[in-house]
Structure formats: structure tokens, C-alpha cells
Amino acid sequence: MSNRPTEDALLPQAAMPANSTVKMPVGVPGYTLHEETRQAPASEPPVWPINKDLQYVGHSAHRYDGPDKASGRARYTSDVQLPGMLYAKFVNAALPHAKVISVDTSAAEKYPGVRGVYVVEHVLGPAELRNPALDRGRYPVVRFAGQPIAAIAATTPAAAQEAATLVRIQYEKLPFVVDLDKARESNAPPVFPGPADEEGSAGGGGGPSDVHQTGNVHGPSVHRVRDTEQGFKEADVIVEGHYITQVQTHSALETHGVVADWKPGMLTVWASTQGTASVREELAGYFDLPMSQVRVITEFMGGGFGAKFGAGNPGVVAAALSKKTGAPVRLMLDRQEEHLSVGNRPSSDQTLRIGAKKDGTLTAIHLVSYGTAGCGTGAGCAGPATNLYQYASLHTEENDVFINAGPASAMRAPGHPQGAFALEQTIDDLAVKLNVEPIDLRDKIDNHPVRRVERQIVRESALWKSRSPVPGADQGPVKRGVGLAQSVWYRFVRTNCAAEVRVHRDGSLEVLSAVQDIGSGIKTVLAQILAEQFGVPPSQIAVKVGDTNYPVGPDSGGSVTTLSLTPAVRDAAWQAAQKFLADIAPALGVSPSDLVLVDGEVRSGSGKFQPISFRRAAAKMTASQITAQARRVPDYDPSKYLTYGGVDVAEVEVDTELGRVHVRRVLSVHDCGRPMNPEQTISQINGGIIQGISFTLFEDRLLDPKYGLMVNPDLDLYKIAGAREIPQIDVRLVEAYIGQSSTDASGIGEAAGVVSIGAAIGNAVYNATGVRVRRTPMTPAVVLAALRQGGTQA
Amino acid sequence: MPGSAFPPPSPDSPPETPRSGITRRGFLKGAGITAASTALLEGVQTLRADAESEATPGVTEFGPGADSVRLHVNGAEHVLDIEPRTTLADALRLHLGLTGSKIVCDRGVCSGCTVWLDKIPVNSCMTLAIDAIGHHITTIEGLSSESEPHPVQAAFVRHDAMQCGYCTPGMVMSCAALLERNPHPTEHDIRHAVSGNLCRCGTYPKVFAATLDAAGSRRA
């Protein structure tokens, strides 16, 4: 993800009807709430007041599909079973770098139950050579162990798996490198024979394509703001740190996969995806099909975290096998493939210098980063350094280093947990050097009005007040510490999304959008919006999503879904309600403007008739169905540069004898515009915190340098935080109105804790021990090494 | 031998001379070693005792092809044609269409596939379907009816103890089993009960709260 929201400016904007001036609530209730004027399209619905004055939106309606999920009735892609369906299995490269000389599938084809074999022609995911002619050969070059080479479709999963072992692949081994430092050396085996680039997905990731490449080093991508040389000259103090973070895999519980059913005139695909639209586009493009002949369905999906956009190799291969065999084909990756081939969070090796005046003013930030996105790009991590604080000058150099490992993909707040881990610990170092409280220093260098409120909430919290100002104050071997860090994310608006609302004569209501609910709860939010507009409880709304037969939805990446889609849904609901009232007004003997929808009733504002139930009023419709569609209109004031974020506080216990870091409590103070459903928002923040703890303390994709293979491609040796490692998490949601759309919603997925908690833990460990741990995961070995060295470079 | 898939070996035939690599007796020995719980071990031993106590002469081996087996799932008997290597998870998901339990790690570390054998939670991905013969299997689908959810399911909905929902069936089965054996758990007990249940969305705090609430509402 680029650091600034620019891409939407390149899209054709929705037609702007005549504007009208509206007054909107802006700021944080109880702190900074005030009214601002905006120019909104005249067709927009009336401005909503703040949450406390709404009935359903902003309140915690139960998750729309909660009963389906809790009962096991929810049908995910991996659960789809169609008559005559075949099961497909990939045949994957066993070597990290090789030319494929031949692929012999004859034995596999003869295996009982096998119905189709497909040899992969183009591998999706890795960076693409700028000059594709450099990769001559019949088959794609293997650039990581686990790269798909072929696939088998058979009548049972077991038959497909056995037949897959019968495919004979002849390789010409190539030298490989799986270590970032070694890959940077001038004589390192080249992962690509020339410059190569990877585009980002809807979730971000990817890297710049206009940069220099030397050997395996793709970069630097340089960003300058004024003159850092001058900035450091003007500094009274300079702090510097060298930080290292590891590769993390997404490890969604439902693996990547599809069920593809290729029939004449229609390819139907159930996909575990964060973007039904992205899957349809890629399949239509790959197979040269009209968009109207590709349908993608995602009713439920078991986690993505940024890795699930487009059809990818599973989608293309399953569709090809379905076409070939004439039968529906299910292709779900196994756990090992999920670790190896469909994305990860790149590593980082950052050298960060910050110069400041005695009063804390930042004069210069200088960041040089290297990181590996495997055989992809996207290891940039300068976002936090660039966007969290005010500074006089900035210089960042981001480098991607290719290694023979699976390509990275966007992962929840791409680049930001890594960048914040370095930045926010360095800012705390600066506070130590300036002898000021870290929270006071941030007040000096961060003028974001919402962050200021959030710091005030932290300052007043019992947890922050319990922090010892003296590092390492505890006497025993287990030392307690408290630290904080801030997060930042950006407002990306997708205007390319729409929704339809239907009112039926029986009084039932439905909303339709192709948007997929990836677990963040957009289904519930859409029901709440209709409920608010029609004055009926959310439980009476039918939500139809996750199907490209409905109006196009946004791809769910970069925290765009709620903020992009909900205004379109509200606009459609409002328009449908206006049409509905206009339709029934004559039967009620009043003008439409006299009608009010509230508490499940239709009422006459002037009291011309006794209130009647919504259902009885709907029976007066002159048609069986009233519909309205609306597209997302641009933000009311797109010139405003808006970020969201929060302040996270961690309390840790560090066992200085065993090296174990345990996070006991977390206070998480976050904003996301108007919270549409606080309970679901808190769920996402809990999740961000827990994923961030897992990244900071446990997870690590380990590659064996001798064989170039991942040694822990599972969920036992690849350690993820579990029930015993979960702290008490206290989330404080800050309503922060921004006056930008008919719902004024924002997103929370990226900003939620995952960005900042690693640095908060690092700062808490410093507070506990007086030693800075500059490397993740903070395993006991890493912590003990840092303690032995007394906090010098880890 | 009601509920058993395979005729027991003849006492006359040598027990360890497989036609196709595996005998029932040898297979069961192996299965016993990998069985995931004490209850399951007991079940296997029962099955083996059955096998040895009843004689059907002439047939000594089974597999690797499919055979007809009878499983008792959610209160009903089902007859399935499965290979002896078929896991309980696959039998439930692929053969019976009970897709509530999920296969996530496929090696017994995430508990996404949790079902009950006689009310004891087991990882169905690590349990052979034939080892479940003679046991009462309860899946998430059988925990409750649509009209009346199990108190744990209702509490999960009330507390929003789910996000993507893929771990939820396994979590519910683990928490409901906890309440079966300990109606008054502490949060510590709940953490222990779901310490094998992996959730990638990070929904644990609400799982703890929901299960505590469910225990309270059961008491009430």
C-alpha cells in the first residue's frame, strides 16, 4: 500500500450532481465535537447525528450470521459439495530454485479415479521479469520450494493426492539463496536473471516498479522531504537503532481455494476471497470470458488478512481443470501450501536515525530498510516514519531483497507493524534521552486531534498511571513494565462500489451487494443501516452479499469496506424509502413528506391517521417490489488528508532468567470515524492486538539455508498465540466524526492494534528491564541475548 | 458385533499375514497408538475385544478398499462406504455432508475439527472413522436444534465470540464439553479447555466471556 491515498484519484469519479451545503458533526464527543460545513451532492440523504442519537447504527446489533457460524450451518468454500465434484491437488516444486526440464504426468493420468491433469503455464504471485524473454523454457522457472507445477483432479481427495505423487518432474538445479543478508551480497545466486517487479493487490503489498535493481536488491525506493543533512545539523540529540523483524505468514484458518464449475455460458466459482470482484476480473481476463459469464460466490470466508485477492493459482487451475473435465472441481490448498505459496508479511532490517531539538521537535528522520518479500516485492516499511509525526525533514530508502521463498502479499497494514516497531521504540529512546515522558513527547510531535484525545484517555488510565518512570525498577527476576505506541492508517475510498435495496409488498426488506464478509461483520452493518432508515429492527433485514450477481462491492483490503460501501447502502436505502413513501402516500391520504418511518411503524407527522405497522403500510404498495440502487459518491471533502489510528498500552512481565515475555494487560484506544457496530469493532481490535502479540513474540517462518525449505510449514512448529497467551484487553472506542459521507464510517482492520502493539511491547520490555529488544520474535533466546548485551544491538 | 465394520479374524488364520499390507488386528494396534484421547483408547480396546471374541471364519483382512461401516452420529445410525484410512473428519464432511467441523491444520493441533466421542472432545482429523464405530459421535450440527441453540452457541452470538467463524464450531464443541464436565468453570479453566483451539482472528477474549456467561445462564 502506498503511504498516501492517491490511487482513487486516478479512477473515474461518480458523476457529481449539484451540491448542497450541509452541516455535519465533526470531532470527538466529550472532547472536540463541533459542527463543520460540507458540500454534499444534493441527492444525499439527511446528515445523521452522532451515534447516541441514532437507534440502530452505532449500537451493538448481534452479528448477522452469528447463529449460522455458531451452529456450523455456515457454508464456506471448503464446504461446498456439488454433484459429481472432483477434488484437485497441486504438485509442487521440491526445490527452491530450478529449471523444470520435463513434467511427466502419464502415470498420474492412469491412476484410478483421476479425471484430469493440468500443467501450470504461468505462476501467479511472484514478481514478473521486466524482460520476460530472460526466462526461456517450456515451464515456469521454480523460484521457491512449494511453487505449483501441475495439478490433478480426481474423484476423491485421496486419489488426487496419490496421483500427485506419481508426477515425475525433471529439474535442472539452480543455486539458491534463502537468507536476506546473503542475498544482498554481490556474488549471491540471483533469484531473477534481471529486474523484476510485483504489483500490489487490492489489499496493498507489492512494491514500486520504477526502481533500480542490483543483483537481488530491488531498490532503493527513495522518499525525501526537505533536507535531512540540515535536519541532523540542527538536532540537539540524535538517537539511532537497528531493528529486525521476521517473516510472518497469514495462516488464515480456511486455506486459499475455490470450487470451480465451468459450464457452457457460465463459469461459477465459489472462492475463499477478500474480493469477489477481483476473482471475477482475473478469471475473465485469464480465460478471455465476458464478465457476464463469470459468477463468483463467497457466502462465508475463513480469514484472509490481506492474502486473498484475485483468482490466483488455485482459481485459474481449478477453472482450467473444470473446463477440461466437464465437472466441478474443488481445489483447496493444504496447510503446507498455505504457508509456502500464497503470501506472507515481509521481513525487515531497519536502520533508523532521528534527530530532535531539546524541546522534542523532530528535525530529521532517516530510515534505511531492507526486507524480503521472497520472490516478490513489498517489504517497504516507511509508512509510520513518514506519516505518524511532524518533522522538519525525512529521508527514507526502502529496499526489497529477493530470496528463493514464496512471494509476499499484503498482510494487515502492510509494512506498518515492522515500521512502527522501529519508529515507536526509537521515539521512546528519544524520550529517555530528552528526559521526558514518552506520552508527553508524543504530544509535542503529534498534532493529530484524535490521537491527542486518545493520549489523554491513556494518561488518565489506571494502567498508564501504574507505570514506573524508572526502567527496571522491580527487584525480583520477573520484572513488570508498561509501554505505549501509536498506530496510523489511511482513508482509502473506493467509489467503485454500489448496493441495491428492495422493499417487498409483504413488508420484508433486503439489501444486495457483491461485497464479501471476511469476518469483520459488514453483513450486520448493512442490516443496521436499513434498520435505521426504515425504522425496523436489524433482525428483520435480509442481507444478500458475496455474489457477483449483485451490484459490485469493494475488495476488502486496506480497511476500505465499511467506509466505501456503507454510504452507497445508506443512499440506496434512503432512496428506496422515499420511493416507498411516495408510493403509499396516496393510499393513506397524505403527502409523502407527512410520513415518518419509526419504531416499526409508518406515522403521519400531522397526525392525519393512527400509526400503522410497516408491514400493513407495505401492503399498500402499488407494485410488488420497490428497488433503489446507489453508487458510492466521493467523500464530501476529498481534499482532507485523513488518518486513523490509536494508542496501545502493553503491560508485560519479563522473566529475566528464562527470557520469557508475557503480555498481561493491554489498553487499546482507537478511532475509526463513526463506529457502526461497536461490538464488532472491538472484536476486530482484539484481533489486531492478538495478531500483533503473536507476531512480536512467537511467529517465525523458518527456512533451512542448506535445502531452502521451510522447516515449520504447519501450525504446531509455526507458533501462533493461543488461549494461554491472551492478555486482558481493554478496548476504548473513540467516536471521531469526520464529516465525509452519508454514514461517516471509517475502517478499523489495519489500524487496529496490529501496527502498534509490537512497539508497545518493546517499550514495556524496556520499562521492565532497562534493556531494549530490537528484534522479533522476542523469543526467550532473543530476550536473553539482549539482556546479556545490556540492550546494545540485538 | 453391532456397529462394527469388519468381520473379525479367524482364530485359525495367522493374524499378521496381510494380503494387502495390513490386517485388522495390526491396524488396530497402530490406531490405538495414535488415538487422541483416553476415551478413544478405551473405545479401540473395546472394539478389539469385540473383534477377538466373535469369529467369522474365512475373512481375515480388510482394506485398502472401501467397506461398509455403521456410525452413530448425532443420534442417528449412518451406513458409509469408507476406506479404513478415512479419518472421522473426512467421513463426516465428505460422506455425511456434516461440514460444520473444519479441517484446518490436518494434524491435531488446531482443534477446528473437534467433535465428541461419547461427550469427550476429540480431533476428528486425527481419529479414524473406524475407531469411532460403536461410539456416540456428536458434531456441531448435533449439539442443538435451530430453534433452540445450545447455551454456549447462544452466548457466542450474544458476546460476538466469532469473526470469520471458521474456528467457531471447534471452539463451541470444546467449550460445551467443558461445561459438561465442569458446570462452573473459571476463566482459567476455559483458557485450558480451548488451549488447543486456534483462532486466527483473535476472538479469544469473547470466547472466554461467552463461556463464562453460558455457564452462568445454565446455572440460572
Side-chain angles (χ1 to χ4, degrees):
Chain A
M1 187 71 63
S2 61
N3 295 327
R4 303 247 170 202
T6 52
E7 77 285 87
D8 214 56
L10 304 174
L11 293 172
Q13 298 293 320
M16 283 286 269
N19 278 342
S20 60
T21 303
V22 293
K23 289 196 165 127
M24 302 190 74
V26 171
V28 181
Y31 293 89
T32 60
L33 188 66
H34 60 285
E35 224 172 45
E36 288 185 12
T37 344
R38 295 279 189 276
Q39 297 298 310
S43 56
E44 286 284 274
V47 170
W48 267 345
I50 64 171
N51 278 349
K52 78 171 177 52
D53 298 322
L54 293 177
Q55 192 172 3
Y56 299 112
V57 166
H59 302 271
S60 292
H62 288 166
R63 191 171 289 262
Y64 179 83
D65 52 15
D68 287 335
K69 286 174 173 172
S71 65
R73 288 193 300 271
R75 194 172 70 149
Y76 296 74
T77 299
S78 58
D79 303 330
V80 171
Q81 265 173 316
L82 303 176
M85 187 178 83
L86 303 175
Y87 299 85
K89 182 88 188 77
F90 272 124
V91 181
N92 300 307
L95 298 169
H97 199 189
K99 272 187 185 148
V100 174
I101 306 302
S102 66
V103 180
D104 176 5
T105 61
S106 54
E109 281 166 53
K110 289 186 201 112
Y111 192 82
V114 170
R115 294 288 180 271
V117 175
Y118 179 83
V119 177
V120 174
E121 293 157 5
H122 186 82
V123 181
L124 298 167
E128 307 272 353
L129 282 164
R130 286 178 198 168
N131 175 7
L134 292 174
D135 253 0
R136 280 187 303 274
R138 186 167 160 204
Y139 303 99
V141 171
V142 172
R143 294 209 160 84
F144 64 97
Q147 180 175 309
I149 291 178
I152 312 287
T155 50
T156 66
Q161 190 154 356
E162 281 168 17
T165 66
L166 300 177
V167 174
R168 295 278 163 260
I169 300 162
Q170 204 188 345
Y171 298 101
E172 178 192 326
K173 284 189 188 180
L174 296 171
F176 66 88
V177 60
V178 295
D179 177 84
L180 180 135
D181 293 330
K182 289 210 170 73
R184 283 173 63 184
E185 290 169 5
S186 58
N187 60 350
V191 174
F192 290 95
D197 305 306
E198 181 197 351
E199 279 179 30
S201 66
S209 56
D210 52 353
V211 299
H212 190 64
Q213 184 177 325
T214 312
N216 292 317
V217 179
H218 180 276
S221 170
V222 180
H223 175 57
R224 287 195 193 91
V225 179
R226 293 176 289 274
D227 182 3
T228 46
E229 231 172 88
Q230 183 64 24
F232 282 115
K233 265 186 215 155
E234 289 168 7
D236 297 318
V237 294
I238 293 174
V239 287
E240 180 164 354
H242 179 215
Y243 292 84
I244 291 172
T245 65
Q246 79 284 25
V247 170
Q248 175 186 30
T249 67
H250 299 70
S251 295
L253 294 198
E254 185 183 35
T255 56
H256 283 64
V258 302
V259 175
D261 188 11
W262 190 303
K263 294 231 159 57
M266 184 58 73
L267 168 61
T268 307
V269 174
W270 288 258
S272 183
T273 181
Q274 295 174 244
T276 53
S278 71
V279 176
R280 176 158 76 166
E281 271 171 41
E282 192 163 60
L283 288 174
Y286 199 93
F287 293 103
D288 198 20
L289 292 168
M291 297 279 271
S292 57
Q293 290 183 16
V294 183
R295 179 183 178 195
V296 178
I297 301 169
T298 307
E299 203 185 345
F300 292 91
M301 74 85 81
F305 312 111
K308 287 182 178 166
F309 294 99
N313 299 310
V316 166
V317 170
L321 280 168
S322 178
K323 184 182 183 188
K324 199 167 178 175
T325 58
V329 171
R330 182 203 286 181
L331 204 180
M332 298 300 298
L333 297 191
D334 64 27
R335 184 50 53 188
Q336 177 162 327
E337 292 166 334
E338 187 70 12
H339 276 295
L340 295 176
S341 62
V342 285
N344 52 67
R345 182 188 294 290
S347 66
S348 77
D349 178 312
Q350 306 171 63
T351 306
L352 179 64
R353 284 179 85 205
I354 297 180
K357 294 283 204 190
K358 279 191 189 118
D359 68 356
T361 314
L362 302 183
T363 59
I365 298 178
H366 190 279
L367 172 70
V368 177
S369 75
Y370 293 84
T372 185
C375 59
T377 62
C381 57
T386 310
N387 297 308
L388 248 174
Y389 297 116
Q390 284 77 56
Y391 42 76
S393 66
L394 171 86
H395 179 111
T396 62
E397 293 182 13
E398 300 168 294
N399 296 275
D400 274 292
V401 183
F402 289 121
I403 65 170
N404 290 105
S409 59
M411 183 164 182
R412 205 166 183 173
H416 282 59
Q418 304 97 296
F421 184 70
L423 176 76
E424 284 293 81
Q425 292 204 72
T426 310
I427 292 293
D428 261 39
D429 274 348
L430 180 60
V432 170
K433 216 156 184 176
L434 293 169
N435 197 24
V436 296
E437 285 294 300
I439 198 165
D440 296 336
L441 175 59
R442 285 173 174 85
D443 273 343
K444 178 77 193 172
I445 59 179
D446 174 15
N447 64 9
H448 194 295
V450 183
R451 243 23 47 69
R452 201 168 280 280
V453 170
E454 289 162 348
R455 281 191 300 273
Q456 191 53 32
I457 293 169
V458 165
R459 197 177 261 116
E460 289 160 7
S461 69
L463 181 57
W464 186 251
K465 283 178 181 164
S466 75
R467 174 180 178 270
S468 162
V470 184
D474 283 356
Q475 291 307 306
V478 178
K479 296 180 188 298
R480 176 185 174 278
V482 175
L484 67 75
Q486 299 194 164
S487 69
V488 63
W489 194 250
Y490 320 96
R491 183 176 180 83
F492 298 104
V493 181
R494 311 288 184 224
T495 54
N496 180 27
C497 63
E500 180 175 321
V501 169
R502 293 181 183 163
V503 187
H504 298 280
R505 194 150 50 190
D506 66 354
S508 63
L509 293 159
E510 57 184 335
V511 53
L512 302 89
S513 165
V515 70
Q516 53 294 317
D517 191 328
I518 62 173
S520 45
I522 190 68
K523 288 177 192 167
T524 322
V525 171
L526 301 194
Q528 288 173 273
I529 294 169
L530 263 67
E532 192 72 46
Q533 209 62 59
F534 287 92
V536 301
S539 56
Q540 290 186 20
I541 312 293
V543 179
K544 310 283 173 66
V545 300
D547 188 332
T548 54
N549 275 359
Y550 307 141
V552 68
D555 290 339
S556 294
S559 302
V560 305
T561 307
T562 303
L563 74 89
S564 296
L565 184 62
T566 58
V569 171
R570 187 184 172 211
D571 292 8
W574 188 73
Q575 287 164 26
Q578 301 314 299
K579 285 187 186 178
F580 168 70
L581 295 177
D583 191 48
I584 62 167
L588 294 165
V590 294
S591 78
S593 60
D594 187 41
L595 293 173
V596 190
L597 292 166
V598 66
D599 287 342
E601 292 179 338
V602 178
R603 295 179 190 167
S604 160
S606 59
K608 286 218 175 93
F609 61 88
Q610 287 297 308
I612 59 168
S613 71
F614 182 79
R615 185 184 297 251
R616 277 187 56 210
K620 300 181 188 300
M621 281 165 53
T622 60
S624 62
Q625 176 178 301
I626 288 171
T627 68
Q629 266 208 19
R631 182 185 168 185
R632 174 64 151 91
V633 302
D635 269 5
Y636 296 164
D637 184 358
S639 70
K640 273 200 169 11
Y641 172 60
L642 292 161
T643 64
Y644 321 112
V647 184
D648 290 291
V649 185
E651 177 191 37
V652 302
E653 277 175 354
V654 184
D655 186 323
T656 55
E657 289 175 349
L658 298 177
R660 178 171 176 263
V661 175
H662 178 60
V663 184
R664 288 190 54 193
R665 281 190 290 174
V666 170
L667 169 64
S668 200
V669 188
H670 279 269
D671 60 281
C672 60
R674 177 198 300 276
M676 300 294 281
N677 181 326
E679 196 62 44
Q680 290 186 163
T681 310
I682 288 168
S683 289
Q684 277 201 72
I685 296 173
N686 283 340
I689 294 289
I690 290 167
Q691 283 186 358
I693 290 171
S694 193
F695 167 72
T696 308
L697 299 183
F698 305 117
E699 297 179 38
D700 202 353
R701 183 199 65 182
L702 298 168
L703 300 175
D704 177 351
K706 191 169 175 195
Y707 298 102
L709 307 176
M710 181 173 175
V711 300
N712 55 346
D714 49 45
L715 292 176
D716 35 339
L717 298 175
Y718 186 88
K719 164 73 179 161
I720 292 173
R724 292 175 200 275
E725 286 98 23
I726 306 307
Q728 296 295 332
I729 303 173
D730 177 9
V731 176
R732 309 275 179 87
L733 263 189
V734 174
E735 287 176 38
Y737 299 91
I738 52 177
Q740 287 291 10
S741 72
S742 62
T743 61
D744 214 21
S746 295
I748 191 66
E750 328 285 326
V754 74
V755 173
S756 36
I757 194 68
I761 292 169
N763 288 334
V765 168
Y766 177 85
N767 183 243
T769 64
V771 168
R772 201 158 274 298
V773 180
R774 301 175 200 270
R775 178 191 280 266
T776 58
M778 293 184 193
T779 60
V782 167
V783 172
L784 289 176
L787 290 172
R788 269 198 300 276
Q789 292 163 24
T792 53
Q793 298 299 313
Chain B
M1 195 175 56
S4 178
F6 310 103
S10 155
D12 301 321
S13 64
E16 308 287 349
T17 51
R19 178 184 60 201
S20 51
I22 193 161
T23 66
R24 174 188 173 83
R25 197 169 290 184
F27 185 79
L28 287 176
K29 278 179 192 166
I33 292 161
T34 58
S37 72
T38 314
L40 195 51
L41 277 169
E42 285 161 5
V44 169
Q45 278 152 9
T46 309
L47 200 58
R48 194 180 303 157
D50 285 352
E52 284 161 6
S53 66
E54 256 179 71
T56 305
V59 183
T60 55
E61 298 96 5
F62 67 96
D67 280 284
S68 186
V69 306
R70 199 180 294 272
L71 291 182
H72 191 275
V73 184
N74 298 334
E77 292 282 333
H78 296 271
V79 178
L80 294 73
D81 277 338
I82 54 168
E83 296 175 1
R85 63 178 171 179
T86 305
T87 63
L88 180 56
D90 277 344
L92 294 169
R93 287 176 51 82
L94 299 178
H95 294 261
L96 294 178
L98 296 170
T99 54
S101 351
K102 304 292 187 248
I103 297 175
V104 175
C105 69
D106 210 10
R107 53 191 279 164
V109 297
C110 76
S111 302
C113 62
T114 301
V115 300
W116 296 353
L117 286 195
D118 305 328
K119 296 206 168 179
I120 306 290
V122 300
N123 288 320
S124 61
C125 79
M126 296 287 280
T127 305
L128 291 170
I130 56 168
D131 281 346
I133 293 165
H135 295 275
H136 287 268
I137 303 160
T138 308
T139 72
I140 184 76
E141 291 90 347
L143 193 62
S144 63
S145 64
E146 188 161 352
S147 55
E148 198 179 346
H150 186 279
V152 168
Q153 292 172 317
F156 266 54
V157 174
R158 277 199 306 279
H159 287 264
D160 199 35
M162 67 196 78
Q163 289 180 58
C164 82
Y166 211 71
C167 74
T168 309
M171 284 281 184
V172 167
M173 293 307 282
S174 290
C175 294
L178 169 67
L179 298 192
E180 291 284 330
R181 62 183 186 269
N182 176 4
H184 310 296
T186 62
E187 187 188 299
H188 178 84
D189 297 332
I190 298 164
R191 283 175 185 254
H192 182 77
V194 298
S195 60
N197 287 80
L198 189 66
C199 166
R200 187 48 155 167
C201 298
T203 297
Y204 298 100
K206 292 184 172 181
V207 169
F208 307 155
T211 308
L212 282 171
D213 185 10
S217 62
R218 273 163 67 107
R219 268 198 295 276

